[in-house]
Amino acid sequence: MNYVIIGSGVAGIAAIEAIRSIDSASSITLIGDDPYGFYSRPGLAYYLTGELHDKALFPRTAEDLRKLNFFYLRGQATKILRAGHILELDTQSTVSYGRLLIAVGAQALPLEVPGADLEGVLKLDHMSDAKLILKHARRGKSAVVVGGGITALELAEGLLSRGMRVHYLLRGDRYWSNVLDEHESRIIEHRLQEEGVTLHHHAEVIEVTGGHAKVSAVRLLNGQLLKCDLLAYAIGIRPRVGLAKQAGLAIDRGILVNEYLQTNDPDVFAAGDVAQAYDPMSGRSILDSLWTPARQQGFTAGLNMAGEKTAYLKAPPFNVTRLAGLTTTIIGTVGRGRDDDLVGIARGDSETWRQLPDSIVAQTGFEVNRLRLLVGEKTLLGAIVMGDQKLSFPLEKMITNNMDISPIRERLLAPNARIGDIVAEYWAGVNTRH
Ligand SMILES: Cc1cc2nc3c(=O)[nH]c(=O)nc-3n(C[C@H](O)[C@H](O)[C@H](O)COP(=O)(O)OP(=O)(O)OC[C@H]3O[C@@H](n4cnc5c(N)ncnc54)[C@H](O)[C@@H]3O)c2cc1C
């Protein structure tokens, strides 16, 4: 068998590791267009703030990769000719495949306002974007950030830590309104302001203006002109479905794959941010933009490409992130509705988080250490843990394993319940029984 993988991100590399775990002899070719190869994209946020050196972002050494014994072709796959099992590259060369994996990730949605093509209007997808942001930050004094979710905050904090004055613009009346509740949004906004970010609510950019082809200000819907040397945006992402579409593969919001990560062509697989994977548990096909699911999908796809029949069983999406310096863990389903600052999902985000069925909220803490539980009939459906993280591990296990919370449900929902203590006690009991 001759395997070809498009995309040198975590899904692509995990697929190679999986193939090599059962097939040491076949040829594997990796095609990647990123000059920096395989690195941690979530780590780019810490590179922006200066907490991590770029050299710390590479999860595999050159030696690790050499041991996987694959050919690496630097270039962009431009066309899949499925009938002949051939791939065309922008380098004018062609590559033939027996089984193909599309693991090309997702890209930032463009900011569609006049002037968005000016120099200094920047997004954060790749290492090269992060380097460009730092280059502009060194030259400028004042920045505007627009968008929602995790990446927008990472941009604001990265630019602030590089000494820029930062204006963060929200179209709605609070931050990340379809994942966080009102209190959580306010905690984050308050911290951002304390860090020195100037927050603008109900602020929408309608035009970017500039001179000598460079951004110099943004015009807002209310007529205000905000001067800036840089405009960074994170308004959501879109899976790179172009190759699959041209090849006639089934797509929806991402490339549609079954639980074996196989497209409607049995020799073509897709995994990671580009894939909209079928979840046999919920019966839905869902987009995630999360590192761990991308790695798991890539690995499962690799096993199946090499002849196994292993289903990808989606765990409730889980992310430990930092929002305005506050460690925040998001597990399962936690919100719903619309967020004016995001079009679809963002980086480090999952569609599942917003598919909240009927549930009752139990919450505690209105300051830094906050805990919110989404309580279903017999199980916990989701949780947000801000600040103190000692309950994130038990909660992740309770939600992932659908543990029966009937013995504590009523106590959790009682007024002023100390839900943290109740969960801790329950968890201690579970551990004693096992
Ligand atoms: C700033 C930022 C913050 C994030 N924060 C978090 C977080 O807090 N938690 C979390 O879990 N996840 C986070 N993520 C998301 C996480 O990084 C992604 O889910 C993960 O990287 C997806 O892996 P992938 O392999 O599917 O795609 P990618 O990592 O996007 O890799 C795809 C690769 O394919 C290449 N490619 C595209 N088209 C072609 C082509 N035609 N030919 C050849 N190569 C091609 C791309 O250049 C890229 O190198 C963040 C991402 C970013 C950028």
Side-chain angles (χ1 to χ4, degrees):
M1 183 56 71
N2 156 27
Y3 305 100
V4 174
I5 319 279
I6 316 173
S8 62
V10 63
I13 298 295
I16 298 178
E17 289 171 344
I19 295 169
R20 279 291 174 250
S21 73
I22 44 182
D23 177 351
S24 57
S26 294
S27 143
I28 305 178
T29 303
L30 173 67
I31 297 160
D33 65 1
D34 193 322
Y36 294 95
F38 174 44
Y39 52 88
S40 163
R41 267 171 229 282
L44 291 176
Y46 301 91
Y47 172 55
L48 274 190
T49 58
E51 289 160 273
L52 283 183
H53 196 278
D54 54 359
K55 291 191 176 58
L57 298 184
F58 293 87
R60 296 282 180 278
T61 62
E63 179 60 11
D64 293 335
L65 295 174
R66 198 192 52 75
K67 281 191 189 146
L68 288 173
N69 182 27
F70 60 89
F71 300 105
Y72 175 57
L73 285 181
R74 168 86 190 278
Q76 190 167 61
T78 50
K79 205 172 202 181
I80 303 169
L81 303 163
R82 286 200 286 135
H85 281 55
I86 286 174
L87 207 63
E88 288 181 1
L89 307 193
D90 63 343
T91 51
Q92 313 307 329
S93 48
T94 56
V95 178
S96 69
Y97 66 85
R99 298 237 161 89
L100 176 69
L101 175 68
I102 308 176
V104 295
Q107 67 195 38
L109 284 160
L111 190 66
E112 284 173 346
V113 294
D117 54 347
L118 289 171
E119 193 190 325
V121 180
L122 304 165
K123 44 101 184 171
L124 180 58
D125 280 347
H126 296 283
M127 177 85 87
S128 48
D129 297 321
K131 290 189 182 286
L132 195 62
I133 291 172
L134 291 182
K135 190 169 140 197
H136 278 82
R138 273 194 289 274
R139 288 198 207 132
K141 286 199 173 69
S142 159
V144 166
V145 174
V146 299
I150 299 171
T151 311
L153 280 202
E154 289 173 343
L155 286 166
E157 292 186 291
L159 293 166
L160 194 71
S161 66
R162 300 290 169 162
M164 296 196 91
R165 257 194 325 272
V166 178
H167 293 271
Y168 180 32
L169 273 43
L170 288 172
R171 289 210 290 196
D173 56 10
R174 65 182 179 90
Y175 171 67
W176 214 4
S177 57
N178 58 4
V179 169
L180 303 184
D181 73 6
E182 171 106 30
H183 289 297
E184 290 149 2
S185 299
R186 297 294 172 229
I187 291 172
I188 302 304
E189 291 181 3
H190 184 66
R191 291 175 69 91
L192 274 181
Q193 285 166 318
E194 283 198 327
E195 285 174 6
V197 171
T198 309
L199 200 61
H200 302 248
H201 290 109
H202 306 291
E204 180 169 349
V205 174
I206 55 161
E207 188 188 1
V208 187
T209 62
H212 307 292
K214 267 178 154 163
V215 55
S216 63
V218 294
R219 190 179 304 284
L220 308 187
L221 189 58
N222 67 4
Q224 196 184 350
L225 198 67
L226 266 182
K227 286 200 172 154
C228 63
D229 309 295
L230 182 168
L231 165 62
Y233 64 93
I235 57 171
I237 54 170
R238 180 184 293 141
R240 294 188 179 97
V241 292
L243 268 179
K245 193 172 177 184
Q246 159 276 315
L249 295 168
I251 55 172
D252 178 22
R253 301 184 298 288
I255 303 177
L256 288 168
V257 289
N258 61 17
E259 64 265 47
Y260 304 104
L261 284 314
Q262 204 167 27
T263 67
N264 57 322
D265 177 333
D267 288 332
V268 183
F269 294 70
D273 281 8
V274 76
Q276 190 178 331
Y278 178 72
D279 170 24
M281 306 293 278
S282 69
R284 292 176 172 150
S285 292
I286 283 171
L287 286 181
D288 286 324
S289 173
L290 291 167
W291 182 267
T292 305
R295 179 158 47 74
Q296 289 165 343
Q297 287 181 16
F299 200 86
T300 308
L303 293 178
N304 292 328
M305 288 165 79
E308 282 202 1
K309 198 121 182 99
T310 302
Y312 165 69
L313 295 177
K314 188 176 156 52
F318 171 84
N319 195 5
V320 187
T321 186
R322 206 174 58 176
L323 301 175
L326 193 60
T327 305
T328 302
T329 300
I330 308 173
I331 317 163
T333 52
V334 289
R336 65 178 145 216
R338 240 178 80 92
D339 180 343
D340 286 339
D341 296 300
L342 283 173
V343 188
I345 68 163
R347 301 280 187 196
D349 190 353
S350 169
E351 286 185 339
T352 305
W353 288 348
R354 283 175 284 272
Q355 292 176 346
L356 190 60
D358 284 342
S359 65
I360 311 180
V361 178
Q363 59 192 335
T364 179
F366 293 94
E367 292 306 327
V368 170
N369 293 322
R370 176 167 166 79
L371 176 62
R372 176 162 58 99
L373 304 179
L374 287 308
V375 183
E377 282 295 311
K378 280 199 153 121
T379 57
L380 288 181
L381 306 174
I384 287 200
V385 187
M386 279 181 156
D388 185 346
Q389 293 295 308
K390 45 175 194 295
L391 290 178
S392 10
F393 177 77
L395 285 169
E396 190 219 338
K397 295 291 163 231
M398 286 167 71
I399 295 168
T400 306
N401 299 331
N402 276 316
M403 288 170 75
D404 182 2
I405 57 149
S406 310
I408 56 167
R409 188 173 185 276
E410 237 174 82
R411 284 171 64 209
L412 282 177
L413 297 175
N416 303 319
R418 298 171 67 94
I419 62 171
D421 294 346
I422 301 169
V423 169
E425 213 180 280
Y426 171 84
W427 183 247
V430 168
N431 280 336
T432 326
R433 282 198 293 281
H434 291 101

